[in-house]
Amino acid sequence: MGYSDKQIEEFSNKYRQIINEFDSLMLNTVASGQQQESAKVREYLLHGVSRRLSVIKKSIENIFNGFPLDAKRPLRRGDLYDVQINMHAYVINLYGIFDNWAWAFVYRHGLLENLGGKHRVGMFKKGMLTHFPNEISEYLKERELGKWHEDYLKSFRDALAHRIPLYIPPSMLTPEEGDRYQELDAQKMGLINVMDWERLNQVEHEQESLGNPCFYFLHSFEGEKPKPILMHPQLLSDGLAIAEFGDLFMKHWESVA
């Protein structure tokens, strides 16, 4: 099932808002990074945070362009792979940007030894929360970003890096369409064996045309029931969170508790 006209309008407006806010955050990050005396702080802001912001923004743009909100038919296999590639880039950089902010803060205030070494550095590590200025620590607690990070972001990042990468099912099928899909799938090996590439292409094309586009993404939860997530609204929610937190962080990160 696709999005309603009202949802498409709402998501489109939020999408434009996020792109504008990312541009503003990027300028703020670069300006602040260039003013830092510490080479390590500059590196984490200019080559860490700003680079990841660029990749996250471009990934969101590519996903929304490659998988339109008003899509009526399943994406062709190559187009679906392109969207998944951008989802992978999106998730790994969304996860990493919080570490970049954390390292910039640690080096800015000389906290590495106090924390107990590099393995204690992280935006959501308990030891670090005591060093953030009140505006940042309270925001992290009130918005439950730690729970979002652990239950959603870390789960998908860990699966992507170490287990089963997230994917978007090629389509949503009715029972009848599912049966036809399996019938076609059974034909493919025989066609490969006899090297009937023309008929194989026809079978794959028919498979790709079955059903409706699937707007969900998911990964293996190692025996648990899969938890599909609606792609476009999740990207918008994540993007707004990054823009809002990034703006707050850049306003207060040069203070320490």
Side-chain angles (χ1 to χ4, degrees), residues 1 3 7 11 215-217 228-235:
M1 181 179 295
Y3 303 118
Q7 287 176 315
F11 295 162
F215 292 92
Y216 292 86
F217 68 96
I229 297 176
L230 264 175
M231 178 170 52
H232 297 91
Q234 184 64 53
L235 295 180

Side-chain angles (χ1 to χ4, degrees), residues 193-206:
N193 288 336
V194 298
M195 295 185 286
D196 188 346
W197 310 125
E198 181 177 355
R199 176 56 185 154
L200 179 63
N201 286 333
Q202 293 172 355
V203 167
E204 290 180 340
H205 180 73
E206 183 178 347

Side-chain angles (χ1 to χ4, degrees), residues 1 72-74 170-174 177 209-215:
M1 181 179 295
K72 301 294 190 241
R73 303 303 304 164
S171 59
M172 299 182 70
L173 305 172
T174 65
E177 290 169 333
S209 69
L210 291 171
N212 293 302
C214 180
F215 292 92

Side-chain angles (χ1 to χ4, degrees), residues 5-17:
D5 291 342
K6 182 178 180 181
Q7 287 176 315
I8 290 174
E9 181 180 6
E10 177 188 350
F11 295 162
S12 297
N13 290 336
K14 285 185 177 180
Y15 168 77
R16 288 189 289 270
Q17 175 189 347

Side-chain angles (χ1 to χ4, degrees), residues 67-80:
F67 203 142
L69 291 164
D70 59 356
K72 301 294 190 241
R73 303 303 304 164
L75 298 187
R76 294 182 65 85
R77 182 173 304 179
D79 296 332
L80 187 63

